[in-house]
Amino acid sequence: MAEDVNSLLQRIGTAARAASRVLARTDKSQRAAALQAIAAAIRAHGPLIIEANLRDVAGAVKAGAKAAFTDRLKLTPSGIEAMASGIETVSWLPDVVGDTEAEWARPNGLRIARVRVPIGVIGIIYESRPNVTGDAAGLCLKSGNAVILRGGSEALQSTLAIRDAIAAGLARSGLPSDAVQVVPTAERDAVGSMLSGLNGCIDMIIPRGGKSLVARVQKEARVPVLAHLDGNCHVYVDKAADLAKAVRIVLNATRRRVSVCGAAETLLVDRAGAGRLLGPLVKALLDAECEVRGDETSCAVDPRVHPAEEEDWLTEYLDAVIAVKVVDGVDGAIAHIARYGSSHTESIVTEDRVAAETFLKEVDSAIVLHNASTQFADGGEFGFGAEVGIATGRLHARGPVGARELTTYKYVVRGDGQTRP
């Protein structure tokens, strides 16, 4: 079976490489028209996509999946519309492919330009979030890249149905359907094949999922990886915070959607303001049916709080659970985040501008916010139309990965017979 899977993936990779060369010759208007055709096709295929998704959800429920998992897996008509609208938004955004970022002349007469170009073929491995299929395809096409998608096995039917809609849109626009491909098997060996790079057919891998998936990709990949390990996000409520604003932000950051990587996992409260802030914040979380695991001070404000252990400060729950700790001011919050955070997204709630600027400057995460929910860690909310994940490394891209982050550049040098002495 491993040989069969490897042969299948190699054929997919070879076709994607050929499609990428066609895409590299398209202009901005062609790519925009293709995205609009894909959005229309997703809407037209909506009932078929929902039908496929219902089969996936039923299978997950039968297998005993948790509610948070099925929440990520489930597609609704509004979700289909959001996917189509996101692709349309991407089509309208500025297209950087072919843009000259810088240009200069040398004393010898050479004219040098740095030009933005596609990466080539991108492999995206993700868990059971079928909406990622549309987002990833849209962004890769916008940036002139072919893409090979490997979704979670639990969402295979949904992913294939979305891909059928994308293929219809590509055909209508005259672009090769092989520009967007889905690995049509749940075999785990398929992931290993992609990580090998398919004999040079894949230029970059983007994993989007849990810590175990991303850790495996980073360990085994033979091509560059753009990834984050987890979303251990924090909200720090400073002594100068407005209480009503803090409650609103903390509840949204924690409870809006517990299954997204931008959900807050730890609440930090300034010791100097704990007497005014801690009790109401903890009560609001508990009343919102969120389990609270707190330090000694937090446990003392409500008997429903469970004692936190060291592991809680490191955990991305992806559930209705939050860890709460009292810290010594903004410096204490920064130190805690530096020790336990995952460089994803952190927020400070305060009316003290100096404290806010200190936090924003010194917290070394991909996204830092002032008086706003961590759930804004999303490419759509940043105006990117969509995203293929949040990058937490320091090379190539950081934060929401949109179309621009899926490009690189080359130098174009024009001369008139110059030779180097």
Side-chain angles (χ1 to χ4, degrees):
M1 177 60 71
E3 290 182 357
D4 292 340
V5 169
N6 289 336
S7 297
L8 169 65
L9 266 294
Q10 189 59 59
R11 287 197 299 274
I12 289 173
T14 301
R17 175 59 69 193
S20 74
R21 297 190 182 101
V22 175
L23 288 177
R25 296 195 296 269
T26 59
D27 60 29
K28 298 179 181 185
S29 62
Q30 287 176 287
R31 292 191 293 275
L35 290 172
Q36 290 163 20
I38 288 169
I42 286 175
R43 291 190 178 100
H45 286 236
L48 295 174
I49 296 171
I50 293 293
E51 182 181 330
N53 183 249
L54 288 173
R55 294 196 298 270
D56 284 334
V57 171
V61 171
K62 185 177 180 179
K66 293 183 179 180
F69 181 90
T70 56
D71 175 63
R72 296 195 297 273
L73 176 60
K74 187 176 181 180
L75 281 173
T76 62
S78 62
I80 298 294
E81 176 56 33
M83 192 189 317
S85 296
I87 292 171
E88 280 183 334
T89 300
V90 170
S91 78
W92 299 327
L93 293 173
D95 188 327
V96 301
V97 176
D99 285 357
T100 298
E101 295 186 325
E103 193 169 12
W104 60 96
R106 298 292 297 146
N108 61 5
L110 289 178
R111 289 172 293 133
I112 302 174
R114 186 167 66 242
V115 180
R116 189 59 50 180
V117 296
I119 288 173
V121 178
I122 297 174
I124 302 180
I125 303 171
Y126 53 103
E127 294 179 343
S128 298
R129 296 177 187 267
N131 62 296
V132 173
T133 306
D135 293 347
L139 289 170
C140 287
L141 291 171
K142 177 73 171 183
S143 51
N145 297 291
V147 62
I148 300 172
L149 301 163
R150 205 286 186 178
S153 58
E154 299 86 354
L156 182 58
Q157 299 304 312
S158 307
T159 304
L160 289 171
I162 295 169
R163 196 272 172 179
D164 287 345
I166 293 170
L170 286 168
R172 190 172 300 125
S173 62
L175 294 182
S177 62
D178 287 337
V180 177
Q181 297 188 73
V182 167
V183 176
T185 175
E187 289 288 334
R188 293 178 61 86
D189 289 341
V191 173
S193 293
M194 290 181 68
L195 298 182
S196 74
L198 301 179
N199 294 314
C201 289
I202 293 179
D203 297 295
M204 185 172 72
I205 290 282
I206 301 176
R208 182 170 178 175
K211 184 181 290 188
S212 61
L213 167 66
V214 180
R216 178 190 175 188
V217 170
Q218 291 182 321
K219 179 180 179 181
E220 299 181 17
R222 297 295 180 265
V223 293
V225 175
L226 188 63
H228 75 264
L229 270 177
D230 53 15
N232 186 14
C233 304
H234 300 73
V235 177
Y236 164 61
V237 179
D238 184 63
K239 63 183 178 183
D242 176 279
L243 177 57
K245 188 182 294 184
V247 169
R248 188 166 65 251
I249 290 171
V250 169
L251 287 178
N252 184 266
T254 306
R255 298 293 287 127
R256 173 187 166 271
R257 286 195 69 185
V258 301
S259 60
V260 298
C261 62
E265 310 291 358
T266 299
L267 168 63
L268 303 174
V269 179
D270 189 348
R271 191 178 307 279
R276 179 175 66 92
L277 300 165
L278 183 61
L281 287 166
V282 169
K283 183 179 186 301
L285 287 163
L286 291 166
D287 290 349
E289 299 183 345
C290 182
E291 180 183 333
V292 177
R293 302 179 186 179
D295 62 1
E296 185 177 351
T297 305
S298 303
C299 287
V301 303
D302 195 300
R304 295 174 290 174
V305 178
H306 301 283
E309 299 181 358
E310 179 71 10
E311 187 66 21
D312 286 303
W313 314 123
L314 294 163
T315 300
E316 181 185 24
Y317 299 109
L318 297 175
D319 204 347
V321 183
I322 190 167
V324 180
K325 185 176 185 180
V326 174
V327 295
D328 293 319
V330 67
D331 290 338
I334 293 168
H336 179 97
I337 292 167
R339 179 175 179 182
Y340 297 105
S342 60
S343 299
H344 194 291
T345 301
E346 332 295 348
S347 177
I348 179 173
V349 184
T350 185
E351 302 305 307
D352 182 338
R353 187 167 297 276
V354 173
E357 291 304 317
T358 299
F359 186 92
L360 297 175
K361 180 181 179 180
E362 297 187 18
V363 171
D364 185 21
S365 292
I367 304 170
V368 289
L369 306 101
H370 175 210
N371 284 346
S373 169
T374 57
Q375 300 244 349
F376 282 106
D378 178 89
E381 295 296 330
F382 276 46
F384 296 173
E387 64 168 47
V388 291
I390 307 289
T392 56
R394 289 171 175 79
L395 299 179
H396 176 66
R398 227 181 171 199
V401 178
R404 189 185 190 284
E405 288 70 37
L406 297 179
T407 62
T408 183
Y409 57 82
K410 66 181 179 183
Y411 288 99
V412 177
V413 182
R414 294 180 172 88
D416 186 27
Q418 289 91 336
T419 60
R420 186 172 178 178

